[in-house]
Amino acid sequence: KAMCSGKLQTALLVAGYFVYLLVGAAVFQALERTAEKQEKMAAAHMKEVFLQNFTQLTVAEMEQFMKNLIEAIQNGVYPVGNESQLEESNWDFSNSFFFAGTVVSTIGYGTLHPKTAGGQIFCVFFALFGIPLNIVFLHRVSKMLSLLCKKLGKFLYQKGMRKKKIKFLTLLFFLVTGILVFLCLPSVFFQITEGWSYSEGIYFAFITLSTIGFGDYVAGKQSDRKYFSYYRVLVAIWILFGLAWIALLFNL
């Protein structure tokens, strides 16, 4: 009975956690998408004016253009290519879900952030409740994985193995398995999808799962590459379960 109750609580927690992320993604998308489109149109207009008058610009005007360009890039707007890029949004649902995941996991790459007053205020409250929820979620998932550790340990103990050796082998098993599943294999995937080298993929995976999040490498942000739908949603889910694996290692 207690086991069924525990499973139900876990199922409700996981469902509630993902509903929280989905709602957060939808709100961020609603608050930020229009403002981003206006910013993209302004950047495209700035580029057009520059191309028409660049031979006549003064040094001061050129410096102002460079400042505007740097500011646009820092805000995630890249005025390159044709007008069709205006239709592509950094705040589509996949990107919004990815952003919501990086907020509650405290990674914070810094390459995507809310710029409207409403988006910034919502982000404060979303993180305020989302970060503790994320800690509870990771704790519960790592606890479930710990049960697998106990079962593995019990099996080895029945085979006549000593307890100290069992603890060492259990830790080694989950360490090696986790490195393969959450670092080595995803790095091959990033190498194919992002065009990075394998070492860059390993670097990105480690910097992400350790929640350092420099922002020098971010999945799904290269303007010259076409990504499949919900690519960043899958990356966000990989991050969440990768963090649960790291929480398990700390517990062990």
Short mmCIF file of all heavy atoms in Angstrom, two decimals, residues 166-211:
data_model
loop_
_atom_site.label_atom_id
_atom_site.label_comp_id
_atom_site.label_asym_id
_atom_site.label_seq_id
_atom_site.Cartn_x
_atom_site.Cartn_y
_atom_site.Cartn_z
N ILE A 166 30.27 -4.24 -2.93
CA ILE A 166 28.97 -3.96 -3.56
C ILE A 166 28.78 -2.45 -3.73
O ILE A 166 28.38 -1.98 -4.80
CB ILE A 166 27.82 -4.56 -2.73
CG1 ILE A 166 27.81 -6.09 -2.85
CG2 ILE A 166 26.47 -4.00 -3.16
CD1 ILE A 166 26.88 -6.79 -1.89
N LYS A 167 29.09 -1.68 -2.67
CA LYS A 167 28.95 -0.22 -2.73
C LYS A 167 29.83 0.37 -3.83
O LYS A 167 29.40 1.24 -4.59
CB LYS A 167 29.31 0.41 -1.38
CG LYS A 167 28.24 0.24 -0.32
CD LYS A 167 28.64 0.93 0.98
CE LYS A 167 27.54 0.78 2.03
NZ LYS A 167 27.92 1.43 3.30
N PHE A 168 31.06 -0.11 -3.90
CA PHE A 168 31.99 0.38 -4.92
C PHE A 168 31.50 0.05 -6.32
O PHE A 168 31.49 0.91 -7.21
CB PHE A 168 33.38 -0.21 -4.68
CG PHE A 168 34.37 0.12 -5.78
CD1 PHE A 168 34.91 1.39 -5.89
CD2 PHE A 168 34.72 -0.85 -6.72
CE1 PHE A 168 35.80 1.69 -6.91
CE2 PHE A 168 35.61 -0.55 -7.73
CZ PHE A 168 36.15 0.72 -7.83
N LEU A 169 31.09 -1.20 -6.53
CA LEU A 169 30.63 -1.64 -7.86
C LEU A 169 29.34 -0.94 -8.28
O LEU A 169 29.15 -0.61 -9.45
CB LEU A 169 30.42 -3.16 -7.87
CG LEU A 169 31.70 -4.01 -7.86
CD1 LEU A 169 31.36 -5.50 -7.78
CD2 LEU A 169 32.55 -3.73 -9.11
N THR A 170 28.44 -0.70 -7.29
CA THR A 170 27.19 0.01 -7.59
C THR A 170 27.47 1.43 -8.06
O THR A 170 26.92 1.90 -9.06
CB THR A 170 26.28 0.04 -6.34
OG1 THR A 170 26.02 -1.29 -5.93
CG2 THR A 170 24.96 0.72 -6.66
N LEU A 171 28.34 2.12 -7.32
CA LEU A 171 28.72 3.49 -7.70
C LEU A 171 29.39 3.50 -9.07
O LEU A 171 29.06 4.34 -9.93
CB LEU A 171 29.66 4.08 -6.65
CG LEU A 171 30.22 5.48 -6.93
CD1 LEU A 171 29.08 6.49 -7.07
CD2 LEU A 171 31.18 5.92 -5.85
N LEU A 172 30.29 2.55 -9.29
CA LEU A 172 31.01 2.46 -10.57
C LEU A 172 30.04 2.21 -11.72
O LEU A 172 30.14 2.83 -12.79
CB LEU A 172 32.05 1.35 -10.50
CG LEU A 172 32.99 1.22 -11.71
CD1 LEU A 172 33.87 2.46 -11.83
CD2 LEU A 172 33.86 -0.02 -11.59
N PHE A 173 29.06 1.32 -11.49
CA PHE A 173 28.09 0.97 -12.53
C PHE A 173 27.27 2.20 -12.95
O PHE A 173 27.13 2.49 -14.15
CB PHE A 173 27.15 -0.13 -12.02
CG PHE A 173 26.00 -0.42 -12.94
CD1 PHE A 173 26.18 -1.15 -14.10
CD2 PHE A 173 24.72 0.05 -12.65
CE1 PHE A 173 25.12 -1.40 -14.96
CE2 PHE A 173 23.66 -0.20 -13.50
CZ PHE A 173 23.85 -0.93 -14.66
N PHE A 174 26.73 2.94 -11.95
CA PHE A 174 25.91 4.10 -12.28
C PHE A 174 26.73 5.27 -12.80
O PHE A 174 26.24 6.07 -13.60
CB PHE A 174 25.07 4.53 -11.06
CG PHE A 174 23.83 3.70 -10.89
CD1 PHE A 174 23.83 2.58 -10.06
CD2 PHE A 174 22.67 3.98 -11.59
CE1 PHE A 174 22.70 1.80 -9.91
CE2 PHE A 174 21.53 3.20 -11.46
CZ PHE A 174 21.55 2.10 -10.62
N LEU A 175 27.98 5.36 -12.39
CA LEU A 175 28.87 6.40 -12.91
C LEU A 175 29.17 6.16 -14.39
O LEU A 175 28.99 7.06 -15.22
CB LEU A 175 30.17 6.42 -12.10
CG LEU A 175 31.24 7.42 -12.55
CD1 LEU A 175 30.74 8.85 -12.38
CD2 LEU A 175 32.54 7.22 -11.77
N VAL A 176 29.59 4.93 -14.71
CA VAL A 176 29.94 4.59 -16.10
C VAL A 176 28.71 4.64 -17.00
O VAL A 176 28.75 5.20 -18.11
CB VAL A 176 30.61 3.19 -16.17
CG1 VAL A 176 30.80 2.75 -17.62
CG2 VAL A 176 31.95 3.22 -15.44
N THR A 177 27.59 4.07 -16.53
CA THR A 177 26.34 4.08 -17.31
C THR A 177 25.88 5.51 -17.58
O THR A 177 25.51 5.85 -18.70
CB THR A 177 25.22 3.32 -16.57
OG1 THR A 177 25.66 2.00 -16.27
CG2 THR A 177 23.96 3.24 -17.42
N GLY A 178 25.93 6.36 -16.55
CA GLY A 178 25.52 7.76 -16.70
C GLY A 178 26.42 8.53 -17.65
O GLY A 178 25.94 9.32 -18.46
N ILE A 179 27.72 8.28 -17.57
CA ILE A 179 28.66 8.96 -18.48
C ILE A 179 28.35 8.58 -19.93
O ILE A 179 28.35 9.44 -20.83
CB ILE A 179 30.12 8.61 -18.11
CG1 ILE A 179 30.52 9.33 -16.82
CG2 ILE A 179 31.08 8.98 -19.24
CD1 ILE A 179 31.85 8.91 -16.24
N LEU A 180 28.05 7.30 -20.15
CA LEU A 180 27.71 6.85 -21.51
C LEU A 180 26.39 7.45 -21.99
O LEU A 180 26.30 7.99 -23.09
CB LEU A 180 27.61 5.32 -21.54
CG LEU A 180 28.92 4.54 -21.50
CD1 LEU A 180 28.66 3.05 -21.32
CD2 LEU A 180 29.75 4.79 -22.76
N VAL A 181 25.35 7.38 -21.12
CA VAL A 181 24.00 7.80 -21.51
C VAL A 181 23.85 9.32 -21.58
O VAL A 181 23.19 9.84 -22.48
CB VAL A 181 22.95 7.20 -20.53
CG1 VAL A 181 21.56 7.77 -20.80
CG2 VAL A 181 22.92 5.68 -20.65
N PHE A 182 24.46 10.04 -20.64
CA PHE A 182 24.23 11.48 -20.55
C PHE A 182 25.37 12.35 -21.08
O PHE A 182 25.18 13.55 -21.29
CB PHE A 182 23.93 11.88 -19.10
CG PHE A 182 22.64 11.31 -18.59
CD1 PHE A 182 22.62 10.29 -17.66
CD2 PHE A 182 21.42 11.78 -19.08
CE1 PHE A 182 21.42 9.75 -17.20
CE2 PHE A 182 20.22 11.26 -18.63
CZ PHE A 182 20.22 10.24 -17.69
N LEU A 183 26.55 11.77 -21.31
CA LEU A 183 27.67 12.55 -21.84
C LEU A 183 28.14 12.05 -23.21
O LEU A 183 28.14 12.81 -24.18
CB LEU A 183 28.84 12.56 -20.85
CG LEU A 183 28.64 13.33 -19.54
CD1 LEU A 183 29.86 13.17 -18.64
CD2 LEU A 183 28.38 14.80 -19.80
N CYS A 184 28.50 10.78 -23.28
CA CYS A 184 29.12 10.26 -24.51
C CYS A 184 28.14 10.17 -25.69
O CYS A 184 28.43 10.69 -26.78
CB CYS A 184 29.75 8.89 -24.25
SG CYS A 184 31.09 8.97 -23.06
N LEU A 185 26.98 9.53 -25.48
CA LEU A 185 26.01 9.38 -26.57
C LEU A 185 25.40 10.72 -27.02
O LEU A 185 25.32 10.99 -28.22
CB LEU A 185 24.91 8.38 -26.17
CG LEU A 185 25.36 6.92 -26.05
CD1 LEU A 185 24.19 6.04 -25.60
CD2 LEU A 185 25.91 6.40 -27.37
N PRO A 186 24.97 11.60 -26.08
CA PRO A 186 24.45 12.90 -26.52
C PRO A 186 25.48 13.72 -27.29
O PRO A 186 25.12 14.48 -28.19
CB PRO A 186 24.09 13.60 -25.20
CG PRO A 186 23.82 12.49 -24.26
CD PRO A 186 24.78 11.41 -24.63
N SER A 187 26.77 13.54 -26.97
CA SER A 187 27.82 14.30 -27.68
C SER A 187 27.91 13.90 -29.14
O SER A 187 28.18 14.73 -30.01
CB SER A 187 29.18 14.09 -26.99
OG SER A 187 29.13 14.58 -25.68
N VAL A 188 27.65 12.61 -29.44
CA VAL A 188 27.59 12.15 -30.84
C VAL A 188 26.40 12.82 -31.53
O VAL A 188 26.51 13.29 -32.68
CB VAL A 188 27.45 10.61 -30.90
CG1 VAL A 188 27.23 10.14 -32.35
CG2 VAL A 188 28.67 9.94 -30.31
N PHE A 189 25.27 12.87 -30.83
CA PHE A 189 24.05 13.50 -31.35
C PHE A 189 24.30 14.99 -31.63
O PHE A 189 23.91 15.51 -32.69
CB PHE A 189 22.93 13.32 -30.31
CG PHE A 189 21.64 13.98 -30.68
CD1 PHE A 189 20.85 13.50 -31.71
CD2 PHE A 189 21.19 15.08 -29.98
CE1 PHE A 189 19.65 14.10 -32.04
CE2 PHE A 189 19.99 15.70 -30.30
CZ PHE A 189 19.22 15.20 -31.33
N PHE A 190 24.97 15.69 -30.71
CA PHE A 190 25.27 17.11 -30.91
C PHE A 190 26.26 17.31 -32.05
O PHE A 190 26.18 18.29 -32.79
CB PHE A 190 25.82 17.73 -29.62
CG PHE A 190 24.81 17.82 -28.50
CD1 PHE A 190 25.11 17.36 -27.22
CD2 PHE A 190 23.55 18.34 -28.72
CE1 PHE A 190 24.18 17.43 -26.19
CE2 PHE A 190 22.60 18.42 -27.70
CZ PHE A 190 22.93 17.96 -26.44
N GLN A 191 27.19 16.38 -32.17
CA GLN A 191 28.17 16.45 -33.26
C GLN A 191 27.47 16.41 -34.62
O GLN A 191 27.80 17.19 -35.52
CB GLN A 191 29.14 15.28 -33.13
CG GLN A 191 30.30 15.31 -34.14
CD GLN A 191 31.23 14.12 -33.96
OE1 GLN A 191 30.90 13.13 -33.30
NE2 GLN A 191 32.41 14.21 -34.55
N ILE A 192 26.47 15.54 -34.74
CA ILE A 192 25.73 15.40 -36.00
C ILE A 192 24.79 16.59 -36.22
O ILE A 192 24.74 17.17 -37.31
CB ILE A 192 24.91 14.08 -36.00
CG1 ILE A 192 25.85 12.87 -35.97
CG2 ILE A 192 23.99 14.00 -37.22
CD1 ILE A 192 25.18 11.56 -35.62
N THR A 193 24.05 16.98 -35.18
CA THR A 193 23.01 18.00 -35.31
C THR A 193 23.57 19.41 -35.37
O THR A 193 23.09 20.24 -36.13
CB THR A 193 22.00 17.90 -34.13
OG1 THR A 193 21.58 16.55 -34.00
CG2 THR A 193 20.79 18.78 -34.37
N GLU A 194 24.59 19.68 -34.55
CA GLU A 194 25.12 21.04 -34.44
C GLU A 194 26.35 21.28 -35.31
O GLU A 194 26.74 22.43 -35.53
CB GLU A 194 25.48 21.35 -32.98
CG GLU A 194 24.31 21.27 -32.01
CD GLU A 194 23.38 22.47 -32.12
OE1 GLU A 194 23.75 23.45 -32.79
OE2 GLU A 194 22.29 22.42 -31.54
N GLY A 195 26.99 20.19 -35.77
CA GLY A 195 28.22 20.36 -36.55
C GLY A 195 29.44 20.64 -35.68
O GLY A 195 30.47 21.08 -36.18
N TRP A 196 29.32 20.38 -34.36
CA TRP A 196 30.46 20.57 -33.47
C TRP A 196 31.39 19.36 -33.57
O TRP A 196 31.01 18.30 -34.07
CB TRP A 196 30.00 20.69 -32.01
CG TRP A 196 29.11 21.86 -31.73
CD1 TRP A 196 29.08 23.04 -32.41
CD2 TRP A 196 28.13 21.98 -30.68
NE1 TRP A 196 28.14 23.88 -31.87
CE2 TRP A 196 27.55 23.27 -30.81
CE3 TRP A 196 27.70 21.14 -29.66
CZ2 TRP A 196 26.54 23.71 -29.94
CZ3 TRP A 196 26.70 21.58 -28.79
CH2 TRP A 196 26.14 22.86 -28.93
N SER A 197 32.61 19.52 -33.06
CA SER A 197 33.49 18.36 -32.93
C SER A 197 33.01 17.54 -31.73
O SER A 197 32.23 18.04 -30.90
CB SER A 197 34.94 18.81 -32.70
OG SER A 197 35.06 19.48 -31.45
N TYR A 198 33.49 16.31 -31.61
CA TYR A 198 33.06 15.46 -30.49
C TYR A 198 33.49 16.07 -29.16
O TYR A 198 32.74 16.03 -28.17
CB TYR A 198 33.61 14.05 -30.65
CG TYR A 198 33.08 13.09 -29.61
CD1 TYR A 198 31.75 12.65 -29.66
CD2 TYR A 198 33.88 12.64 -28.57
CE1 TYR A 198 31.24 11.78 -28.71
CE2 TYR A 198 33.38 11.77 -27.61
CZ TYR A 198 32.06 11.35 -27.68
OH TYR A 198 31.56 10.50 -26.73
N SER A 199 34.69 16.63 -29.12
CA SER A 199 35.18 17.24 -27.87
C SER A 199 34.33 18.44 -27.48
O SER A 199 34.07 18.67 -26.29
CB SER A 199 36.65 17.66 -28.02
OG SER A 199 36.80 18.63 -29.05
N GLU A 200 33.85 19.21 -28.47
CA GLU A 200 32.96 20.33 -28.18
C GLU A 200 31.62 19.83 -27.63
O GLU A 200 31.03 20.46 -26.74
CB GLU A 200 32.73 21.17 -29.45
CG GLU A 200 33.93 22.01 -29.84
CD GLU A 200 33.75 22.68 -31.19
OE1 GLU A 200 33.15 22.08 -32.10
OE2 GLU A 200 34.23 23.83 -31.36
N GLY A 201 31.15 18.70 -28.16
CA GLY A 201 29.91 18.09 -27.66
C GLY A 201 30.04 17.65 -26.21
O GLY A 201 29.16 17.90 -25.39
N ILE A 202 31.18 17.02 -25.88
CA ILE A 202 31.47 16.60 -24.50
C ILE A 202 31.53 17.83 -23.59
O ILE A 202 30.97 17.85 -22.48
CB ILE A 202 32.80 15.82 -24.41
CG1 ILE A 202 32.65 14.43 -25.04
CG2 ILE A 202 33.30 15.73 -22.98
CD1 ILE A 202 32.00 13.39 -24.15
N TYR A 203 32.22 18.86 -24.06
CA TYR A 203 32.37 20.11 -23.30
C TYR A 203 31.00 20.73 -23.01
O TYR A 203 30.69 21.09 -21.87
CB TYR A 203 33.25 21.07 -24.10
CG TYR A 203 33.28 22.49 -23.59
CD1 TYR A 203 34.04 22.84 -22.47
CD2 TYR A 203 32.57 23.49 -24.25
CE1 TYR A 203 34.08 24.14 -22.01
CE2 TYR A 203 32.61 24.81 -23.79
CZ TYR A 203 33.36 25.12 -22.67
OH TYR A 203 33.39 26.42 -22.22
N PHE A 204 30.15 20.83 -24.06
CA PHE A 204 28.82 21.41 -23.89
C PHE A 204 27.98 20.59 -22.91
O PHE A 204 27.32 21.14 -22.03
CB PHE A 204 28.09 21.48 -25.25
CG PHE A 204 26.62 21.74 -25.13
CD1 PHE A 204 26.15 22.99 -24.77
CD2 PHE A 204 25.69 20.72 -25.34
CE1 PHE A 204 24.78 23.23 -24.63
CE2 PHE A 204 24.33 20.95 -25.22
CZ PHE A 204 23.88 22.21 -24.86
N ALA A 205 28.04 19.25 -23.05
CA ALA A 205 27.24 18.38 -22.17
C ALA A 205 27.66 18.54 -20.72
O ALA A 205 26.82 18.65 -19.82
CB ALA A 205 27.40 16.92 -22.62
N PHE A 206 28.97 18.60 -20.47
CA PHE A 206 29.44 18.72 -19.09
C PHE A 206 29.12 20.10 -18.51
O PHE A 206 28.63 20.20 -17.37
CB PHE A 206 30.96 18.48 -19.02
CG PHE A 206 31.50 18.69 -17.62
CD1 PHE A 206 31.36 17.70 -16.66
CD2 PHE A 206 32.12 19.87 -17.27
CE1 PHE A 206 31.82 17.89 -15.37
CE2 PHE A 206 32.59 20.07 -15.98
CZ PHE A 206 32.45 19.08 -15.03
N ILE A 207 29.37 21.15 -19.27
CA ILE A 207 29.11 22.52 -18.79
C ILE A 207 27.62 22.70 -18.51
O ILE A 207 27.23 23.40 -17.57
CB ILE A 207 29.61 23.57 -19.82
CG1 ILE A 207 31.14 23.55 -19.91
CG2 ILE A 207 29.13 24.97 -19.46
CD1 ILE A 207 31.86 23.88 -18.62
N THR A 208 26.78 22.04 -19.30
CA THR A 208 25.32 22.13 -19.11
C THR A 208 24.89 21.36 -17.86
O THR A 208 24.22 21.91 -16.99
CB THR A 208 24.58 21.59 -20.34
OG1 THR A 208 24.85 22.45 -21.45
CG2 THR A 208 23.08 21.55 -20.11
N LEU A 209 25.28 20.08 -17.77
CA LEU A 209 24.81 19.24 -16.67
C LEU A 209 25.42 19.63 -15.32
O LEU A 209 24.87 19.31 -14.27
CB LEU A 209 25.07 17.76 -16.96
CG LEU A 209 24.32 17.17 -18.15
CD1 LEU A 209 24.58 15.68 -18.27
CD2 LEU A 209 22.82 17.43 -18.04
N SER A 210 26.55 20.32 -15.36
CA SER A 210 27.13 20.83 -14.11
C SER A 210 26.50 22.17 -13.72
O SER A 210 26.87 22.75 -12.70
CB SER A 210 28.65 20.99 -14.25
OG SER A 210 28.95 21.90 -15.29
N THR A 211 25.56 22.65 -14.55
CA THR A 211 24.83 23.93 -14.39
C THR A 211 25.75 25.14 -14.38
O THR A 211 25.38 26.20 -13.88
CB THR A 211 23.92 23.95 -13.13
OG1 THR A 211 24.72 24.01 -11.95
CG2 THR A 211 23.00 22.74 -13.08
#
